Amino acid sequence: MIGPATYYRPEHRDALDARTRELIDRREAVLSPGYRLFYAHPIEFVRASGTKLYTRDGDEFLDVYNNVPSVGHAHPRVTAAIAEQSARLNTHTRYLSESLIEYAELLLGSFGAGLDTLTLVCTGSEANDLALRVAKHATGQRGAIVTENAYHGVTTEIAAISPSLGGVDSLADWVRTVRPPVGDGSAMVADVRSAIASLQAAGHGVAAFIVDTAFASDGFLAPSPATTAALADAHALVHAAGGLVIADEVQPGFGRLGRRAGEPGLWGYLHHTMTPDLVTIGKPMANGHPVAGLVARRDLMQSFGDHVRYFNTFAGTPVSIAAARATWDVLHDEQLPEHAAMIGDDLRGMLHELAARHDRLRDVRGSGLYLGVDIVDPATGEPDTRAAVALVGALRERRILISASGRDNASLKLRPPLPFSRSDAERFITEFDGALTDQG
């Protein structure tokens, strides 16, 4: 077996089969070195369906990682909608389109608290870039506050507020980091207060506090009374300083955190009872087609629009809207947020049972089909990055796709397509149990 690793490195090449070596050589000859391949033994997938992906040789892998195909890989209703619309018309938003207006009306109906205006973009990075731009315009200030291992995107502006990409040293001088709301959340509130004072003293002021409502790159935190209280206090401090609050829903949005009768809707900020000024959405919005957006208060966008012309060639095209609308319809017709809540509860229970047998597992947590579990050194209880990375590789050999996350890269992150079934969960737990047993 090839030794497990999170990413392929040149020293892994000699152990690979001839076809894989050839593909890697051709890839490296033409693609940017900035790209990465998962695993010491990279995988070539040729098709997918639902929660499964298949290699050229027909090997089936269970997807416990990819949150973009939220209604399932290659969902027939989504693929049909894209094909039918692309055979009919594909232009841009400078022409009238009833399908665009209908989709915006449907989407905005799921938001509250005056979040009534949609701007479409193509990626979550673009959505967060635009949100920060609007916040700076509205406040006349530039300072931004983020959590200590946040990831919000890859544009120049947004990479500068994403410490998970390059650490604190990679951040702009107008950015301050705060701890996520772990424990009782008081550390986050204290950090926000200090960050505001620091930004004001430096002359930057506070334009925005931007928070991924799943705290995905911080290791994932499930909504709780403590997170709700901490975020409310942080919100109040930021508003008092003249800043705005941006909820980054690019990962948790569209029902991933689950929904039960009487519970909040499709968005993570509702689970925390937040009232953000702007909300960014993306990844699962069109099941893999590049669609994203910014939802905001009308007054913010009116002021911005009065001074700035914004147009995005490929955002909101008829084909993009067809993909997004089909995804929306499947999400609701198949009751996937409700399914995520039910299966997520089952999977979390299975993980707790597994943690009772394996002392490397700690702090099982989650909401819906976004779950996390820490991998620790049993002797010390400290995060064990090497063991977490080894488990990711071992599960790949067992045909399970998963990833590690968090500040120490020692939290396993589970975020499968939403049609993930109980049998999928049982298969994952069986293989995870085996990998843990092998690791000892």
Side-chain angles (χ1 to χ4, degrees), residues 15 41 44 52 80 112 128 142 188 207 256 283 289 338 349-350 352-354 393 395 407:
H41 187 177
E44 180 189 4
K52 314 298 192 304
N128 282 325
R142 65 194 303 239
M188 173 191 233
R256 175 150 296 277
K283 287 186 186 297
H289 194 81
E338 292 78 8
M350 295 177 195
H352 278 295
E353 291 177 4
L354 202 60
L395 285 166
R407 183 182 61 185

Side-chain angles (χ1 to χ4, degrees), residues 195-367:
I196 290 170
S198 174
L199 288 168
Q200 290 173 333
H204 301 303
V206 180
F209 172 44
I210 178 168
V211 57
D212 166 5
T213 60
F215 300 93
S217 293
D218 290 290
F220 183 72
L221 297 176
S224 70
T227 62
T228 294
L231 287 167
D233 288 346
H235 184 287
L237 289 168
V238 170
H239 270 199
L244 300 177
V245 174
I246 302 169
D248 182 345
E249 294 283 345
V250 171
Q251 296 207 58
F254 290 94
R256 175 150 296 277
L257 301 188
R259 180 171 64 188
R260 299 177 180 83
E263 286 192 345
L266 301 179
W267 313 109
Y269 77 85
L270 294 173
H271 287 259
H272 296 290
T273 64
M274 292 173 65
T275 54
D277 303 290
L278 306 104
V279 179
T280 56
I281 54 180
K283 287 186 186 297
M285 194 168 175
N287 212 47
H289 194 81
V291 181
L294 170 63
V295 176
R297 299 196 329 249
R298 168 70 55 171
D299 62 302
L300 295 175
M301 300 314 296
Q302 186 67 59
S303 175
F304 183 76
D306 287 344
H307 295 88
V308 179
R309 182 177 68 91
Y310 184 83
F311 173 69
N312 190 314
T313 302
F314 298 109
T317 67
V319 170
S320 293
I321 294 302
R325 176 61 186 269
T327 302
W328 177 270
D329 289 345
V330 170
L331 191 72
H332 290 82
D333 292 349
E334 298 185 8
Q335 298 183 315
L336 292 177
E338 292 78 8
H339 175 81
M342 178 183 67
I343 296 299
D345 286 348
D346 289 347
L347 181 54
R348 195 163 60 251
M350 295 177 195
L351 285 168
H352 278 295
E353 291 177 4
L354 202 60
R357 302 199 306 274
H358 294 281
D359 53 8
R360 279 199 178 279
L361 303 186
R362 302 282 172 87
D363 193 19
V364 174
R365 57 200 180 275
S367 179

Side-chain angles (χ1 to χ4, degrees), residues 147-148 177-195 226 230-231 233-234 237:
T147 53
E148 63 185 3
T177 64
V178 299
R179 286 167 286 184
V182 296
D184 65 3
S186 59
M188 173 191 233
V189 177
D191 286 356
V192 169
R193 187 177 285 110
S194 296
L231 287 167
D233 288 346
L237 289 168

Side-chain angles (χ1 to χ4, degrees), residues 140-198:
Q141 304 184 105
R142 65 194 303 239
I145 301 171
V146 299
T147 53
E148 63 185 3
N149 201 50
Y151 171 76
H152 296 291
V154 296
T155 68
T156 299
E157 185 89 338
I158 298 305
I161 66 166
S162 295
S164 69
L165 290 177
V168 175
D169 292 341
S170 69
L171 303 180
D173 63 358
W174 40 267
V175 178
R176 300 293 183 272
T177 64
V178 299
R179 286 167 286 184
V182 296
D184 65 3
S186 59
M188 173 191 233
V189 177
D191 286 356
V192 169
R193 187 177 285 110
S194 296
I196 290 170
S198 174

Side-chain angles (χ1 to χ4, degrees), residues 31-103:
L31 297 183
S32 167
Y35 286 121
R36 296 288 186 272
L37 279 168
F38 280 157
Y39 307 116
H41 187 177
I43 314 170
E44 180 189 4
F45 290 120
V46 297
R47 67 183 182 90
S49 178
T51 59
K52 314 298 192 304
L53 298 95
Y54 300 88
T55 67
R56 178 177 295 275
D57 296 327
D59 294 334
E60 179 188 272
F61 282 71
L62 176 64
D63 193 350
V64 194
Y65 171 73
N66 287 293
N67 59 337
V68 174
S70 60
V71 302
H73 289 278
H75 195 288
R77 288 175 64 181
V78 180
T79 57
I82 293 170
E84 290 168 7
Q85 185 58 54
S86 62
R88 187 181 305 122
L89 171 72
N90 199 32
T91 53
H92 49 72
T93 56
R94 284 174 168 156
Y95 302 113
L96 283 172
S97 169
E98 187 173 13
S99 62
L100 167 60
I101 297 166
E102 285 180 347
Y103 178 72

Side-chain angles (χ1 to χ4, degrees), residues 359-438:
D359 53 8
R360 279 199 178 279
L361 303 186
R362 302 282 172 87
D363 193 19
V364 174
R365 57 200 180 275
S367 179
L369 281 172
Y370 209 138
L371 293 92
V373 58
D374 292 341
I375 307 301
V376 303
D377 181 333
T380 65
E382 293 299 311
D384 192 334
T385 302
R386 290 176 61 87
V389 170
L391 282 167
V392 171
L395 285 166
R396 174 256 181 267
E397 298 301 324
R398 291 170 173 268
R399 299 179 185 173
I400 303 289
L401 305 180
I402 198 171
S403 72
S405 185
R407 183 182 61 185
D408 299 297
N409 211 35
S411 299
L412 296 188
K413 179 169 59 177
L414 288 64
R415 50 175 202 185
L418 296 184
F420 201 72
S421 67
R422 183 174 178 86
S423 64
D424 289 335
E426 290 170 345
R427 174 179 169 184
F428 165 68
I429 290 295
T430 297
E431 300 301 340
F432 193 18
D433 188 11
L436 286 162
T437 300
D438 289 348

